Amino acid sequence: MIDVLFLVLPDSLLLDLAGPAEAFRLANQALQRRAMAPAFRLRFVGPAVAVRSSVGLTLGDIEPLPQALPERAWVVLLGRPGDVGEVLRRQPEWLGARDWLARTMGPAMHAGTGSQRLLTVCVGSLLAADAGLVGQREVTTHHELLDELAAIAPAACVRSNRVFVEDGPLLSSAGVTAGIDLALHCVAQECGPAIAAIVAQVMVVFSRRGPDDPEQSPLLAGRHHLHPAVHRAQDAVCEAPGRDWTARALADVAHVSERHLSRLFIDHAGVSPRVYVEQVRAALAQHALGRGVPAKQAAAQAGFGTDRQWRRARTRLES
């Protein structure tokens, strides 16, 4: 499992913590329901055993900052409320966390390789910059703090108007709900887009955003609705794209008639069931091709009988 360490400081924004943590927890739950091992171990670390959160709720039982990180570890830096002066007030806890980050994450960040990653939400990117971990990478933060981030990390490429940015082991988000988008992105990378789609459905964030603020994958497109029958069919296709998804098979999964399911798909997903299946298969084939899988093998993995069928489907989708 990946150890996901949330660095909890005084006044941490509670949603910055709870939103991504729930996404990782729900990913584990979705995996376990499929008789698969959980992917993430959630840990909450900091310089104090208990701190007061942004909403006044005390967070306790916080682990001490570990001397070293596990081989597979993601460290999550959270935001905090207030104006620029309050946010950047370098209190003892901030300074202790900054030194710890430089010592434990520095080698992995400078090498730019390996399985240790740094995820930042909102002001977390300023803490990463203060620890010398940003360098010349692309990075973002809350729109009110972009100038301050650029001042702390002058060599970095600070990106505005972005939900989140990924540059090597550094993944930064704009803040608050954008932390959920970033977590879903990481879930998709580690567990696959089908699991990420299930998590997004449970969290009722079907319009999951990507780095450039479009939906990145058809496996997550057409999810801007709450209709359970359509979601049942979409989930089934994402989990087994190679199955012979006839209209009857999809209707059986959705527990409605074929005609009714077709109407529901048009109304709620914006496409027919057949087009949705082709979109999912084409996206999976393209993803496999991008990983270096040969075309015939990529088509087979995605559920196409031949790569010719894939080409025909791609032509239809692009027309």
Side-chain angles (χ1 to χ4, degrees), residues 4-13 16-17 43-48 51 59 62-66 74-79 93-94 96-102 104-105 118-119 124 127-128 131:
V4 183
L5 288 79
F6 291 85
L7 178 55
V8 185
L9 300 177
D11 298 322
S12 288
L13 284 168
D16 288 3
L17 169 64
R43 297 171 58 185
F44 307 94
V45 304
V51 299
L59 304 174
I62 299 172
E63 290 183 46
L65 295 172
W74 297 352
V75 176
V76 185
L77 308 184
L78 310 172
E93 294 87 356
W94 175 289
R98 181 189 66 180
D99 295 342
W100 175 78
L101 283 167
T104 57
M105 283 298 299
L118 185 63
L119 283 58
L127 178 55

Side-chain angles (χ1 to χ4, degrees), residues 14 17 80 83 96 100 135 141 152 154 172 201 211 232 242 249 257 259:
L14 195 56
L17 169 64
R80 58 189 303 185
D83 58 27
W100 175 78
T141 189
I152 297 175
S172 55
Q201 178 184 345
R232 281 194 293 269
S257 69
R259 181 173 295 180

Side-chain angles (χ1 to χ4, degrees), residues 80-91 94 122-123 126 141-152:
R80 58 189 303 185
D83 58 27
V84 173
E86 293 173 319
V87 164
L88 295 179
R89 188 171 62 234
R90 292 175 171 86
Q91 300 163 316
W94 175 289
C122 192
V123 179
L126 276 72
T141 189
H142 192 276
H143 60 87
E144 294 179 349
L145 297 169
L146 292 168
D147 291 341
E148 285 68 25
L149 176 58
I152 297 175

Side-chain angles (χ1 to χ4, degrees), residues 242-263:
R243 181 177 167 181
D244 184 15
W245 286 116
T246 63
R248 179 71 264 164
L250 282 170
D252 287 344
V253 168
H255 308 310
V256 296
S257 69
E258 296 176 37
R259 181 173 295 180
H260 188 43
L261 182 63
S262 180
R263 287 196 297 266

Side-chain angles (χ1 to χ4, degrees), residues 6 10 110 141 199 234 242-243 296:
F6 291 85
H110 293 307
T141 189
V199 173
Q234 289 174 318
R243 181 177 167 181
K296 289 185 178 180

